[in-house]
Amino acid sequence: MAGVHVSSHPLVRHKVARLRAADTRHRATLYRVLGRAHEFAAAADADPVGYDALLASAGIAVQLRAPMTPIVKLIFGADYDKTRLTEYAAVLAHARRMGVAIGALGHFLDSFEGGIKGVVK
């Protein structure tokens, strides 16, 4: 059919809008979870003995070259996608270097060009 574009069809536009909304909700949820992980990292800093005990009970080793990896393994699970764990640990490490305040990580990621991928880059 000449002159008809699939992207202009109302059903397609509706589905695209739903996908974008779902992506936005997913991102917001992920940012909240990472915010909690950021808070947990600060709590672990305040209680290193308790944190070490928690890591030992979970069978997670401390990695000096990647100090946030144990945090994300505790939050997401040690068997979670390794690429995602690495990205999330990089976000937490960057937030720490930048002095992102507790409770402000979500806003930081929202305002960072590219979000998580931008931080990792």
Side-chain angles (χ1 to χ4, degrees):
M1 293 175 24
V4 175
H5 297 282
V6 173
S7 63
S8 66
H9 191 278
L11 181 58
V12 171
R13 285 194 314 266
H14 175 72
K15 287 189 182 244
V16 168
R18 287 181 54 207
L19 285 172
R20 283 186 183 143
D23 182 54
T24 300
R25 283 191 306 274
H26 171 75
R27 186 173 40 252
T29 300
L30 178 56
Y31 286 6
R32 277 194 304 276
V33 171
L34 288 173
R36 296 292 185 185
H38 185 236
E39 293 171 12
F40 180 72
D45 288 345
D47 182 12
V49 173
Y51 178 57
D52 287 344
L54 185 59
L55 289 176
S57 71
I60 298 173
V62 174
Q63 302 173 22
L64 296 178
R65 62 179 170 72
M68 292 295 138
T69 298
I71 297 287
V72 295
K73 283 183 176 181
L74 285 169
I75 302 294
F76 291 93
D79 58 344
Y80 194 73
D81 180 271
K82 302 299 181 209
T83 300
R84 299 291 172 247
L85 289 175
T86 301
E87 289 176 346
Y88 301 161
V91 166
L92 295 179
H94 185 69
R96 178 174 276 178
R97 281 190 305 275
M98 298 301 295
V100 175
I102 299 302
L105 185 62
H107 177 70
F108 174 78
L109 290 171
D110 274 334
S111 65
F112 202 96
E113 186 176 339
I116 291 171
K117 297 289 186 191
V119 170
V120 171
K121 201 181 223 184

